[in-house]
Amino acid sequence: MGTKTILVLLVCVFLFLVLAGCTNGNTAVNQQPQPQPPPQVPSPQQTYACPDGSVVTSLSNCPKMKCSDGTEYGECSQNKPKFCDNGNFIDKASACGCDAGYDVQNDSCIVHQAQTQPASPPAPKPSISCTSQFADTEHMDIFDSHVHISPTISASQIISEMDKAGVSVSNLYSGSLGIISKYPGRFIAFVDTPDSPQPSTWLTQGQAFTTSAEEQLKTGKYYGIGEANLRYYSGDIVPPPTIYVPSDTPRWLSLVDLSAKYHVPISFHFVPDDPSANVAFERMLSHNKNATFIWAHLGFNNLPLNSTKLNDFLLRYPNLYLDTAGIQNMQNPLPKPNSNWALLANGSNNGRSNGEWRQFFETWNSRILFGSDAGGGKNGLERWLNYADNTVNGATPNAVGHWGALLSNLDYNSARNILSGNARTLILKEQKPSYNYLVSSDGMCHSISVSSNSSVSGLTFDQNARAITFTVADSIGTVGSASITVPTAIARGNFTASVDGQSVQIKEIPSSTYTTVSLGYTGGIRSITIIAPGNASN
């Protein structure tokens, strides 16, 4: 190979190496890492607020809201025709129906009235329910408006005792929301007003307590305020009292104002044994007409009960109610101290109320709430253990049964209102039930219904005069009203009415099966008479 040829080859190799190096350099440049886009930040998750205040990511996860008996919002209760409407019960018979023996009238349930009678029926005897003088309290719903919980007994034990006694709901003083949520529909709670014991804790905390009480009421989970001890004796009535807070103390009156603002009752223990203390007490009752007061222990507690004085209080203060708590524990014979049960009960009549107190309970049947005071006092545990039984010494046996027997000679409506109806209306804001009376006419039993904002009692029907007579009771200075539904089978025609013997104007709405007569009257204890000149055959 010549020299020239070798030089050509060397040039070619050189050029090849140069070109290869350029190619590798370009590849290296092209392989440099490219800048990456910034990481994606996840968008915040959508949340929703539930009616109970909890926060969830889906509305379907909201806790089911329920009324006091466990019925979910927007559903019908087992207690027809009640419908759970955003925490309140309303009558909605059009959706919920009525129990057997009742007919749907708008959204209410009325006693079924036969549309036709067979030709020439045999003359039936009046139904025993038409003539019975006693209420069947053993099978009535019971709302205990006044019980206490303490470290000596568990909530599950209390539920067991309530079940044995036939009590559906209890107002659990000093109860926590945790206990109430664990047993939905069985307990309610008031804003607690604790003692320490003197001076009262709520009093020493001043404005801080009022602020705290209002924050609790704003939640809608508390149904009232109390029970506060304003004038309390731990034993016999021997002054000075164990606890005394003048009822017109500004701090207490600030709580009274919360009662008015949030439309909840405020309850208290006040023994009226001192004239100057009583003056302050009445200043409190007059302080705010929109407040609602529950005077515990029939007012007098272990001071001898006085129906005349209680009647006077109820006539003068339309926002005042009484509860019966603890009176069954005062079993000493008269005239010893702590003998109030002997003042109420007729020992020769199976423990039923005597004439004086039967009249008082019936006259004011819409202003009295049953309460047992189970769990209260130094023997609180024994009171619970003897709530429905005779289990231990140290407390009156069968406390609830004592009241069932005492009230059993009242008319049905009065006993029902005291045992449960008034608490459901006043505390749970359920609709006030109408009064239904069975009367006998031409050998048949018929129902007369009265709807009223007053206490109604003593309804009678004079078949010969076609006259219906009953008593209403409300506070002086108020205006009452009543609507009376009368079957045409017992009276029809142009009705007339009188109040205490004085003629009054009425509104009359007739139909083929009944006539509704409405009228108004001034407050007090009044006798109302309604007369129709004709009957079904006229």
Side-chain angles (χ1 to χ4, degrees):
M1 179 179 298
T3 302
K4 187 175 181 178
T5 301
I6 293 172
L7 288 173
V8 171
L9 289 174
L10 289 175
V11 170
C12 289
V13 170
F14 173 77
L15 291 173
F16 174 80
L17 291 175
V18 169
L19 291 174
C22 290
T23 303
N24 289 338
N26 289 336
T27 302
V29 170
N30 291 336
Q31 290 180 348
Q32 289 181 2
Q34 299 296 317
Q36 298 295 319
Q40 295 293 321
V41 178
S43 59
Q45 192 171 24
Q46 179 69 49
T47 59
Y48 302 89
C50 296
D52 68 342
S54 60
V55 177
V56 296
T57 57
S58 171
L59 287 174
S60 62
N61 294 331
C62 283
K64 296 291 186 182
M65 301 296 288
K66 298 180 180 180
C67 280
S68 58
D69 69 347
T71 303
E72 293 182 1
Y73 280 20
E75 299 292 338
C76 292
S77 170
Q78 292 183 352
N79 182 23
K80 299 177 182 179
K82 300 300 182 185
F83 179 84
C84 181
D85 181 30
N86 292 325
N88 298 312
F89 280 113
I90 61 172
D91 283 348
K92 198 170 184 179
S94 59
C96 302
C98 298
D99 291 325
Y102 291 82
D103 295 328
V104 175
Q105 179 182 317
N106 297 323
D107 270 326
S108 299
C109 293
I110 62 170
V111 177
H112 175 71
Q113 299 294 324
Q115 300 298 312
T116 60
Q117 299 287 345
S120 303
K125 295 181 180 180
S127 164
I128 188 172
S129 63
C130 202
T131 59
S132 175
Q133 59 181 321
F134 299 133
D136 183 15
T137 54
E138 290 186 4
H139 297 96
M140 286 186 176
D141 176 52
I142 301 176
F143 186 129
D144 195 334
S145 67
H146 189 136
V147 302
H148 298 266
I149 191 170
S150 69
T152 61
I153 189 166
S154 67
S156 61
Q157 287 177 288
I158 292 176
I159 289 290
S160 175
E161 295 299 324
M162 288 169 57
D163 290 342
K164 286 188 287 186
V167 174
S168 59
V169 187
S170 287
N171 176 23
L172 191 62
Y173 285 125
S174 303
S176 69
L177 293 181
I179 292 174
I180 292 167
S181 63
K182 187 176 180 179
Y183 299 96
R186 302 304 304 274
F187 295 125
I188 63 165
F190 280 21
V191 173
D192 192 24
T193 50
D195 304 314
S196 60
Q198 174 84 332
S200 298
T201 302
W202 59 266
L203 180 63
T204 59
Q205 290 180 358
Q207 180 58 40
F209 184 84
T210 303
T211 301
S212 172
E214 182 162 18
E215 290 302 314
Q216 292 176 75
L217 291 172
K218 284 180 179 179
T219 67
K221 297 179 180 180
Y222 293 88
Y223 290 79
I225 305 168
E227 169 203 17
N229 286 319
L230 299 181
R231 190 170 179 87
Y232 165 80
Y233 290 87
S234 60
D236 293 340
I237 308 296
V238 179
T242 309
I243 297 175
Y244 177 52
V245 179
S247 304
D248 59 352
T249 297
R251 181 56 47 215
W252 175 249
L253 295 182
S254 72
L255 299 179
V256 170
D257 289 336
L258 290 182
S259 163
K261 181 177 180 180
Y262 290 93
H263 307 289
V264 296
I266 184 168
S267 69
F268 48 81
H269 180 131
F270 176 85
V271 177
D273 67 317
D274 179 81
S276 62
N278 294 351
V279 170
F281 178 65
E282 296 212 36
R283 280 198 291 265
M284 175 199 73
L285 295 178
S286 302
H287 171 69
N288 191 324
K289 67 179 182 179
N290 295 317
T292 302
F293 301 104
I294 299 178
W295 193 2
H297 314 290
L298 284 177
F300 284 64
N301 194 44
N302 53 340
L303 191 71
L305 290 169
N306 187 314
S307 65
T308 301
K309 290 184 177 179
L310 289 176
N311 186 77
D312 177 66
F313 272 107
L314 293 173
L315 277 172
R316 291 189 293 120
Y317 297 104
N319 50 356
L320 177 63
Y321 294 76
L322 307 173
D323 82 25
T324 67
I327 305 300
Q328 79 282 350
N329 296 315
M330 305 170 194
Q331 292 282 341
N332 285 341
L334 293 169
K336 291 183 177 181
N338 291 309
S339 56
N340 274 337
W341 192 256
L343 289 174
L344 299 180
N346 186 339
S348 63
N349 192 23
N350 297 317
R352 298 185 177 99
S353 56
N354 60 34
E356 172 192 354
W357 285 96
R358 177 184 179 182
Q359 180 178 357
F360 177 80
F361 287 136
E362 287 193 338
T363 299
W364 294 105
N365 66 76
S366 67
R367 303 277 289 277
I368 303 167
L369 289 70
F370 164 69
S372 69
D373 206 20
K378 297 177 181 178
N379 61 340
L381 175 60
E382 289 78 7
R383 291 186 187 185
W384 270 122
L385 295 177
N386 281 1
Y387 193 60
D389 296 317
N390 187 8
T391 303
V392 297
N393 295 323
T396 300
N398 193 12
V400 176
H402 265 73
W403 282 101
L406 186 86
L407 301 177
S408 65
N409 61 341
L410 275 58
D411 70 70
Y412 166 84
N413 302 282
S414 297
R416 172 206 61 196
N417 285 353
I418 294 172
L419 287 175
S420 67
N422 295 335
R424 291 185 173 277
T425 300
L426 183 69
I427 300 174
L428 299 184
K429 310 305 181 189
E430 295 181 10
Q431 183 175 336
K432 182 180 180 180
S434 60
Y435 293 80
N436 292 296
Y437 293 91
L438 292 174
V439 299
S440 180
S441 177
D442 298 322
M444 297 293 292
C445 210
H446 302 274
S447 175
I448 296 176
S449 174
V450 182
S451 297
S452 177
N453 55 352
S454 308
S455 291
V456 177
S457 62
L459 186 144
T460 60
F461 174 65
D462 184 330
Q463 178 176 338
N464 294 325
R466 299 292 163 180
I468 301 165
T469 303
F470 57 94
T471 299
V472 293
D474 217 328
S475 299
I476 295 171
T478 63
V479 176
S481 63
S483 294
I484 306 93
T485 301
V486 185
T488 55
I490 66 173
R492 67 170 12 161
N494 296 319
F495 285 80
T496 60
S498 63
V499 177
D500 292 341
Q502 300 295 315
S503 296
V504 296
Q505 291 185 336
I506 62 172
K507 180 180 180 180
E508 190 175 331
I509 304 176
S511 75
S512 60
T513 56
Y514 60 85
T515 300
T516 300
V517 179
S518 300
L519 70 156
Y521 45 85
T522 57
I525 299 176
R526 309 292 184 196
S527 175
I528 294 179
T529 300
I530 297 173
I531 300 176
N535 58 30
S537 62
N538 295 136

